[in-house]
Amino acid sequence: MATTGSNGRGGKSQGETRAPGVKDVAALAGVSLGTVSNVLNRPDRVNVQTKARVEAAMAELGFVRNESARQLRAGRSNALAYIMLDASNPFFTDVAHGIELAAEAHDLSLFTCNSSNRAERETVYLSRLEEQRVQGILITPVNPDAEALDELPWRGTPVVIVDRTRSANTHCSVAVDDVLGGELAVSHLIELGHDHIAYIGGPNTLGQVRDRRRGAQKALADAGLGPDNLIDITTDALTVEEGRKAGERIAGRPASNRPTSAFCANDMLALGLLQQCVALRMAVPDDLAIVGYDDIDFAAAAAVPLTSVRQPRRELGRRAAELLLAETTDPSHEHEQVVFTPELVVRGSTRM
Amino acid sequence: MATTGSNGRGGKSQGETRAPGVKDVAALAGVSLGTVSNVLNRPDRVNVQTKARVEAAMAELGFVRNESARQLRAGRSNALAYIMLDASNPFFTDVAHGIELAAEAHDLSLFTCNSSNRAERETVYLSRLEEQRVQGILITPVNPDAEALDELPWRGTPVVIVDRTRSANTHCSVAVDDVLGGELAVSHLIELGHDHIAYIGGPNTLGQVRDRRRGAQKALADAGLGPDNLIDITTDALTVEEGRKAGERIAGRPASNRPTSAFCANDMLALGLLQQCVALRMAVPDDLAIVGYDDIDFAAAAAVPLTSVRQPRRELGRRAAELLLAETTDPSHEHEQVVFTPELVVRGSTRM
DNA sequence: CAGATTGAATGAAACATTTCAATTTGGAGG
DNA sequence: CCTCCAAATTGAAATGTTTCATTCAATCTG
């Protein structure tokens, strides 16, 4: 680790004069405060030549508008925030991208925070953002039923819940039909002739894990199969590592009672499972067919491309942002629970 | 896509009273403004009972400190920002995580922005952040030599360049020795007996792509091999899709002139290449050995685990944040160019 | 008990901007 | 030459917090 240096002039060029403000610009341009402000905020209301003079002064001084002061006066900022649950899961970065597009369209900034699945980080960010007077907060919460989420809207900062649903109808939310998703996945496996299907997912405290299992059970029932045909393999988290462990558990079963296919509650698990299959020389899909969930880009890029349940990630984010903006503008707002429909994408991991 | 509604009370409960401020708290608690402020900022300097009374008043009113006003007075915010180049590349989310840890340790907020490789988004974020008076900005710039990066520090907002280097020594920067990384990768392949090695990367405007190639060439020269032993396959971007295309190009070559191994400028390319190999029934590593770069988590999780050049991603971020903080506190600051050392991680894609 | 010391609380000033009612300016119309 | 009008500009007030020099009260010292 090498290191070299130089420079020395920390900040400003000379006698450390403090940052120029509208006042300085006004003085230099020979106009009043109000006029400078008009140039900034209602350029059409000021004479072209005056405007040019003011702009020249700004450039000369290197004027940078002080957003704090502007905000103080305005009462609110022009930013949205998204508190994402796990920045290392591509699913969420894609959702964030959708939000960003919507924010950009409305000329708002988006600040992204990452709770890394820790409730206490989430709390810190929530209150910091509230103090910043952001226009609203989008969040995929660690626990969707946490009461902390009720306070902010009550005090005036709208909150929209993303990719989670809540028992009480207290917020707008955007989610995807997880029961249907599970149904699609398992119906597909049944059609391929599988009747020993593993469901890999956990922990069961996650509503999504439960919903996707329910969908799987429904598909079995609809096909005249019993709940015993679904072999539950519960994991500690939805990670690649846990997927690998699940693979070991499957391989460890006696051949008579070994599933011929697996439905994973997300793609991270599925990728881990796939990797373990290769390591253990189980052929995919011949020895074990695999269906994932989320259809992240890496799923299609796996060595055996993964069949997966696609969620409209971008659209999820975009719609959430729009709900938020609607809530900020419309005072007589009715909370809306938007539910998108998932879609099965069939690839090599189930097709021979 | 179903939708249901309810609620109706947009914000506050009653007569839409505006948010309570220190003034209201002071009135309710029967103390002066200054005392409320002291409770907030120097709790030890105020009588315990008074403090309790003030805190009760805050709770009752649902007081939320107005960060704009605080900032206006203080002159600066307590936040850092990281403008990342591509949030969909796990490498950068890991770097961001390192930054976050450092920020958290100093009790600062981190706002993450994503330029998505677009110079114009980058510009927008830079100026918004400057207006917010963030303490400093970390950035992986679209173009490290852009002059826009010089203006902010000149006006007083420190900027640290992450994972890129600059010709001029005008900023602190943190990077990894890419020439050495390329050397490690290709030396490894040479040791395994390869002498037809493809270098997959592009576009050549990227300094990193060039540096890693230089390292590769150096390794060849050191082993007494000529530059002809490196087969250059230039891509349009460092994406999975481009990796797949590169695989097609390799397969399309006559067997006599086909490389037996490939060194990819990042893991996204390597994953795409790997996928294409499987699709075209080229065995990895027997028909084609593959080395990636970055060692993202998905590299280890690939069906054929990927040999890759690991960069200390978290550490990169953490160190960058520390340089930034040093610059904000120490006025007589010398710019520092930190260069970390990469490390080769050997896995199945090169080992039989 | 006078004087000194400490601990708590006060309130006005400052921060940089925006807004808006009031004022000025330069013509046009009569 | 006067009146009126629109366009352009002005300047003071307001935003919510922090700071700091004072004030006030109570306790301690000799």
Side-chain angles (χ1 to χ4, degrees), chain A residues 21-22 37 42 63 66 73:
Chain A
V22 280
S37 177
R42 311 189 216 40
F63 167 78
N66 184 326
R73 188 75 233 272

Side-chain angles (χ1 to χ4, degrees), chain B residues 106-159:
Chain B
H106 291 264
D107 203 36
L108 294 167
S109 297
L110 176 69
F111 293 124
T112 305
C113 309
N114 177 18
S115 70
S116 304
N117 240 310
R118 290 187 290 152
E120 112 261 8
R121 286 309 291 161
E122 184 178 292
T123 308
V124 170
Y125 278 124
L126 277 174
S127 65
R128 291 247 170 125
L129 291 168
E130 190 182 15
E131 290 176 357
Q132 305 256 0
R133 299 292 194 269
V134 292
Q135 296 214 3
I137 298 176
L138 297 134
I139 183 172
T140 303
V142 175
N143 168 18
D145 288 316
E147 296 179 7
L149 294 178
D150 293 310
E151 296 176 13
L152 297 248
W154 192 87
R155 287 194 291 254
T157 304
V159 171

Side-chain angles (χ1 to χ4, degrees), chain B residues 29-32 35-36 39 43 45-57:
Chain B
V31 297
S32 76
T35 302
V36 178
V39 171
R45 218 154 281 182
V46 37
N47 184 292
V48 250
Q49 300 170 41
T50 320
K51 192 177 121 189
R53 204 147 31 93
V54 171
E55 278 166 346

Side-chain angles (χ1 to χ4, degrees), chain A residues 91 163-164 176-186 199-200 206-219 230 238 263-267 292-294 309 311:
Chain A
F91 173 80
D163 193 44
R164 291 287 185 276
V176 181
D177 188 338
D178 286 310
V179 176
L180 177 57
E183 212 179 323
L184 288 174
V186 171
Y199 175 65
I200 302 175
L206 291 178
Q208 299 188 309
V209 171
R210 292 197 306 268
D211 286 350
R212 290 168 195 176
R213 179 187 295 111
R214 270 204 295 140
Q217 288 163 340
K218 182 153 182 292
L230 195 69
L238 300 172
F263 167 40
C264 301
N266 85 353
D267 282 344
Y293 208 108
D294 284 351
V309 178
Q311 312 201 59

Side-chain angles (χ1 to χ4, degrees), chain A residues 192 194 285-286 289 347-348 350-352:
Chain A
L192 292 173
H194 293 280
D286 300 298
R347 297 204 186 85
T350 60
R351 193 171 42 197
M352 12 231 110

Side-chain angles (χ1 to χ4, degrees), chain B residues 262-285:
Chain B
F263 167 41
C264 300
N266 85 352
D267 282 344
M268 310 287 265
L269 284 174
L271 287 172
L273 175 60
L274 175 60
Q275 186 198 358
Q276 193 65 10
C277 286
V278 173
L280 297 174
R281 310 236 176 271
M282 291 172 65
V284 174

Side-chain angles (χ1 to χ4, degrees), chain A:
Chain A
M1 189 190 317
T3 163
T4 70
S6 115
N7 174 276
R9 283 269 7 68
K12 312 301 161 50
S13 45
Q14 2 225 7
E16 193 57 60
T17 59
R18 76 171 189 346
V22 280
K23 215 175 300 185
D24 308 274
V25 174
L28 180 58
V31 297
S32 76
L33 289 278
T35 301
V36 178
S37 177
N38 280 336
V39 171
L40 249 24
N41 304 299
R42 311 189 216 40
D44 39 317
R45 218 153 281 181
V46 36
N47 183 292
V48 251
Q49 299 171 43
T50 319
K51 193 177 120 191
R53 203 146 32 92
V54 171
E55 278 166 346
M58 286 183 176
E60 185 178 337
L61 293 172
F63 167 78
V64 177
R65 181 207 238 128
N66 184 326
E67 179 65 19
S68 309
R70 167 207 199 358
Q71 234 175 80
L72 174 58
R73 188 75 233 272
R76 53 140 84 166
S77 78
N78 43 31
L80 299 181
Y82 176 42
I83 304 182
M84 63 164 95
L85 187 64
D86 177 10
S88 69
N89 184 340
F91 173 80
F92 292 112
T93 60
D94 286 341
V95 172
H97 198 227
I99 296 173
E100 201 171 25
L101 293 176
E104 193 179 336
H106 291 264
D107 204 35
L108 294 168
S109 297
L110 176 70
F111 294 124
T112 306
C113 308
N114 177 19
S115 69
S116 304
N117 240 309
R118 289 187 290 153
E120 113 259 10
R121 285 309 290 161
E122 184 177 292
T123 308
V124 169
Y125 278 123
L126 277 174
S127 65
R128 292 245 170 128
L129 291 169
E130 190 182 14
E131 290 177 356
Q132 304 256 359
R133 299 292 194 271
V134 291
Q135 296 215 2
I137 298 176
L138 297 135
I139 182 171
T140 303
V142 174
N143 168 17
D145 287 315
E147 295 178 7
L149 293 179
D150 293 310
E151 297 177 14
L152 298 244
W154 193 89
R155 287 195 291 256
T157 304
V159 171
V160 171
I161 296 177
V162 180
D163 193 44
R164 291 287 185 276
T165 48
R166 217 178 192 225
S167 5
N169 177 19
T170 52
H171 299 70
C172 285
S173 71
V174 172
V176 181
D177 188 338
D178 286 310
V179 176
L180 177 57
E183 212 179 323
L184 288 174
V186 171
S187 297
H188 171 63
L189 290 173
I190 293 172
E191 270 169 32
L192 292 173
H194 293 280
D195 56 1
H196 273 62
I197 303 176
Y199 175 65
I200 302 175
N204 276 315
T205 48
L206 291 178
Q208 299 188 309
V209 171
R210 292 197 306 268
D211 286 350
R212 290 168 195 176
R213 179 187 295 111
R214 270 204 295 140
Q217 288 163 340
K218 182 153 182 292
L220 287 169
D222 288 354
L225 296 169
D228 294 349
N229 295 83
L230 195 69
I231 300 161
D232 239 306
I233 297 188
T234 304
T235 60
D236 292 339
L238 300 172
T239 60
V240 172
E241 177 57 27
E242 287 290 321
R244 274 196 287 257
K245 286 192 204 158
E248 279 172 9
R249 284 207 259 165
I250 288 179
R253 285 175 161 251
S256 60
N257 191 23
R258 190 182 299 158
T260 58
S261 62
F263 167 40
C264 301
N266 85 353
D267 282 344
M268 310 287 265
L269 285 174
L271 288 171
L273 175 60
L274 176 61
Q275 185 198 359
Q276 193 65 9
C277 286
V278 173
L280 297 174
R281 311 237 174 270
M282 290 173 65
V284 175
D286 300 298
D287 295 337
L288 188 75
I290 301 178
V291 180
Y293 208 108
D294 284 351
D295 192 32
I296 61 178
D297 290 341
F298 290 104
V304 181
L306 213 56
T307 293
S308 191
V309 178
R310 172 181 300 167
Q311 312 201 59
R313 309 182 288 264
R314 291 255 179 103
E315 200 44 36
L316 206 63
R318 185 199 294 274
R319 191 67 200 281
E322 272 159 14
L323 283 179
L324 185 64
L325 292 172
E327 188 164 347
T328 60
T329 41
D330 176 11
S332 70
H333 170 83
E334 299 260 319
H335 288 317
E336 223 175 296
Q337 257 65 52
V338 176
V339 179
F340 284 94
T341 302
E343 177 190 357
L344 186 74
V345 181
V346 178
R347 297 204 186 85
S349 72
T350 60
R351 193 171 42 197
M352 12 231 110

Side-chain angles (χ1 to χ4, degrees), chain B residues 34-211:
Chain B
T35 302
V36 178
S37 177
N38 280 335
V39 171
L40 249 24
N41 303 300
R42 311 190 215 41
D44 40 316
R45 218 154 281 182
V46 37
N47 184 292
V48 250
Q49 300 170 41
T50 320
K51 192 177 121 189
R53 204 147 31 93
V54 171
E55 278 166 346
M58 285 182 176
E60 186 179 336
L61 293 173
F63 168 77
V64 176
R65 181 206 239 127
N66 184 327
E67 178 65 18
S68 310
R70 167 205 196 5
Q71 234 175 81
L72 175 57
R73 187 76 233 273
R76 52 139 88 166
S77 80
N78 44 30
L80 299 181
Y82 176 42
I83 304 181
M84 63 164 94
L85 187 64
D86 177 10
S88 70
N89 184 339
F91 174 79
F92 292 112
T93 61
D94 287 341
V95 171
H97 198 228
I99 296 173
E100 200 170 26
L101 293 175
E104 193 179 337
H106 291 264
D107 203 36
L108 294 167
S109 297
L110 176 69
F111 293 124
T112 305
C113 309
N114 177 18
S115 70
S116 304
N117 240 310
R118 290 187 290 152
E120 112 261 8
R121 286 309 291 161
E122 184 178 292
T123 308
V124 170
Y125 278 124
L126 277 174
S127 65
R128 291 247 170 125
L129 291 168
E130 190 182 15
E131 290 176 357
Q132 305 256 0
R133 299 292 194 269
V134 292
Q135 296 214 3
I137 298 176
L138 297 134
I139 183 172
T140 303
V142 175
N143 168 18
D145 288 316
E147 296 179 7
L149 294 178
D150 293 310
E151 296 176 13
L152 297 248
W154 192 87
R155 287 194 291 254
T157 304
V159 171
V160 171
I161 296 178
V162 180
D163 193 46
R164 290 287 184 277
T165 49
R166 214 176 195 228
S167 6
N169 177 19
T170 52
H171 299 71
C172 284
S173 72
V174 173
V176 181
D177 187 339
D178 286 310
V179 176
L180 177 57
E183 212 179 324
L184 288 173
V186 170
S187 297
H188 171 63
L189 290 173
I190 294 173
E191 270 169 32
L192 291 173
H194 293 281
D195 56 2
H196 272 60
I197 304 174
Y199 175 66
I200 302 175
N204 276 314
T205 47
L206 291 178
Q208 299 188 308
V209 171
R210 292 198 305 267
D211 286 350

